[in-house]
Amino acid sequence: MSRKVLTVGEILVEIVATTKGEGFLEAQPLIGPFPSGAPAIFTDQLARLGTPAAIVSRVGDDDFGHLNVRRLKADGVDVSGIEVARGEATGSAFVRYRPDGSRVFVYNIAHSATGNLRLTPEVDLLIASCDHVHMMGTALSAPGIATVARQAVERITARGGTLSFDPNLRPEILDTPGLRQALVDVLAKTDLFLPSGDEIFLFTEATEEAGAVRELLDRGIRDIVIKRGHRGASHFSHEGRTDVAPLSVKEVDPTGAGDCFGAAYVSFWLGGASPRTALRYANAAGAHATTKLGPMEGAATRQELDVLLSPTKGGSHVQ
Ligand code: ATP
Ligand code: MG
């Protein structure tokens, strides 16, 4: 039986400005709503690859909530842990790209349905049915979500389940009270660590990547995978280092690439694939995610990844 993966965290809709610029201070063309939320994108990508996947979250009883639940269900995610809250609104994020590729966000998450996440009998049952838990640092920055997320981590790892961890944080929000300790506690139980770029330095005094990696491996993390955006990705363990060059794709919208990459890596890791195979597919999943407008729209099936990885039909590696 394949192991079932639990994710805890925010579900929201994303509404994207169709022009580049500084933000939302004047009326402008928008496109959306798209289903979103980093944990939701992650769980959707897992399900599309055929890995049993479930999410604990909370949405309002409104169209924004329904469109998310419908999408996840259609893609095969176990949605029994999503509470539909009457009288509350589903979270949302407005995003606009600046000309340099950076993003401006307007968020409505902390005071939306998802911000009020709580343990329900359905969530209790779901936690008991999962064998792996994936944590995202953002889930630890909202108090309600953090309480449920930490329970899931405690219970699943206490039963011998495994834990993957994507910090998914910007340094600015590290000042949230209690967040750093929560991150350190999760890291101490982590089997597979998936930082992006400089996040490898969040938990060590080391100033060089190799030193930071060695220290974390020595603390007992089995596998470390560093995401490097359009520069590809790398895997490290006590057995050595593996790098993968980025695939050459036409990037339309990079939001969600890290989540699709992480889900594909976890899917292959749980299946016992070699680091090289897991990295190749994860790299393809991240690249594929950037080719579609909307954060979850680029989550790919195994067949789509195989096409992208085939030298004749798909993308080529950037040299
Ligand atoms: P997010 O913004 O979703 O949190 P992230 O910073 O966690 O993303 P990235 O490093 O941006 O993650 O992307 C994850 C992976 O996706 C990369 O390591 C790479 O394999 C792939 N990828 C991302 N952008 C591109 C690109 N433009 N071309 C090819 N591959 C890409
Ligand atoms: Mg990125």
Side-chain angles (χ1 to χ4, degrees), residues 208-229:
E208 304 265 329
E209 185 181 281
V213 164
R214 200 171 330 110
E215 190 183 325
L216 295 176
L217 291 175
D218 287 344
R219 281 196 225 161
I221 296 173
R222 218 190 314 156
D223 293 282
I224 299 176
V225 179
I226 302 184
K227 291 166 275 168
R228 305 187 195 277

Side-chain angles (χ1 to χ4, degrees), residues 45 89 102 130 142 169 197 202 224 259 282:
Q45 173 65 88
S102 63
C130 290
L169 291 173
L202 281 172
I224 299 176
D259 310 318

